[in-house]
C-alpha cells in the first residue's frame, strides 16, 4: 500500500497566512462601533435621534388666507386666484387688488391668526388678522367645496368694508 502523507497547516505556519493574533485583532476592530462624533469634537453628544414633526394637514382656510394675502398685498397677480374662486369672489378680488389694501410700507404683511367655522358640510367661513408692522387688518372669506372636492373661495371682505357688486 502506498501511503500518502497529508499535512495540515496551522494559521501561523503556512506561507502568506496571517498570524492568529493579527486576525483576532482585525475581527475585534471590525466589531467596534465608530465614534458618533466627528474627530476633534470633545462633547459627548451624538447625532440627533428625533426628527422634527411635520405638519401633515393644513386646513383649507389657512391656505386660502395665505393666498388671498399674497394677492391683496400685491405679491401675486389677481389671475393667480382664477381657478380658486367661484361666483362673485373673483370679481371682488379684481376690484380690491389694484388698491392693495393689505400692503404696508416697510413691513411685509403676514397672517397673524386664522380661524374657520363650518356652518354646514362643504362650507367654511373664515376670518384672519393680517399684521404688517404695527398695522393690523381684518380679512374675512367664505370657502365652498365644489363637486370635484376642491375648496374654492366664494366671497372676500377686507377691513369690514365690502365693495358692492356693480349692477
Amino acid at each position: 500500500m502506498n501511503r500518502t502523507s497529508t499535512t495540515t497547516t496551522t494559521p501561523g505556519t503556512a506561507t502568506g497566512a496571517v498570524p492568529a493574533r493579527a486576525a483576532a485583532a482585525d475581527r475585534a476592530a471590525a466589531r467596534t462601533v465608530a465614534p458618533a462624533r466627528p474627530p476633534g469634537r470633545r462633547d459627548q453628544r451624538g447625532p440627533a435621534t428625533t426628527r422634527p414633526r411635520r405638519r401633515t394637514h393644513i386646513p383649507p382656510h389657512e391656505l386660502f388666507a395665505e393666498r388671498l394675502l399674497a394677492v391683496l398685498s400685491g405679491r401675486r397677480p389677481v389671475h393667480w386666484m382664477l381657478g380658486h374662486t367661484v361666483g362673485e369672489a373673483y370679481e371682488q378680488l379684481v376690484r380690491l387688488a389694484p388698491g392693495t389694501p393689505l400692503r404696508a410700507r416697510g413691513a411685509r404683511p403676514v397672517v397673524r391668526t386664522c380661524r374657520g367655522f363650518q356652518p354646514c358640510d362643504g362650507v367654511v367661513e373664515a376670518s384672519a388678522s393680517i399684521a404688517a408692522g404695527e398695522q393690523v387688518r381684518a380679512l374675512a372669506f367664505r370657502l365652498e367645496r365644489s363637486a370635484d372636492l376642491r375648496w374654492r373661495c366664494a366671497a372676500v371682505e377686507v377691513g369690514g368694508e365690502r365693495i358692492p357688486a356693480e349692477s
Side-chain angles (χ1 to χ4, degrees):
M1 271 174 83
N2 210 358
R3 284 186 152 183
T4 314
S5 84
T6 52
T7 58
T8 57
T9 58
T10 57
T13 60
T15 310
V18 179
R21 285 185 186 166
D26 288 343
R27 286 191 300 273
R31 281 193 304 260
T32 59
V33 177
R37 58 188 177 272
R41 187 166 156 188
R42 295 171 194 243
D43 63 349
Q44 297 299 316
R45 293 180 302 139
T49 57
T50 59
R51 294 182 183 169
R53 290 187 178 187
R54 286 191 206 175
R55 192 170 179 183
T56 57
H57 175 71
I58 299 174
H61 60 276
E62 290 182 15
L63 290 172
F64 271 87
E66 293 289 341
R67 286 180 164 275
L68 289 168
L69 174 62
V71 170
L72 295 173
S73 65
R75 284 185 285 153
R76 290 286 189 162
V78 180
H79 67 269
W80 187 57
M81 290 292 292
L82 192 56
H84 301 284
T85 56
V86 292
E88 189 184 328
Y90 185 75
E91 296 303 321
Q92 290 171 341
L93 285 175
V94 167
R95 288 190 301 271
L96 285 171
T100 57
L102 298 180
R103 177 180 285 177
R105 292 189 177 146
R108 182 176 178 179
V110 294
V111 176
R112 192 165 144 192
T113 61
C114 185
R115 295 197 168 97
F117 171 71
Q118 194 166 4
C120 60
D121 286 339
V123 175
V124 174
E125 293 179 351
S127 64
S129 63
I130 310 298
E134 293 184 19
Q135 180 185 13
V136 179
R137 302 285 308 264
L139 173 67
F141 55 97
R142 178 182 173 99
L143 301 178
E144 295 177 356
R145 183 175 268 171
S146 59
D148 62 354
L149 301 180
R150 293 177 55 195
W151 290 99
R152 291 192 167 81
C153 185
V156 180
E157 292 183 21
V158 177
E161 298 176 19
R162 185 173 181 185
I163 297 175
E166 295 177 19
S167 299

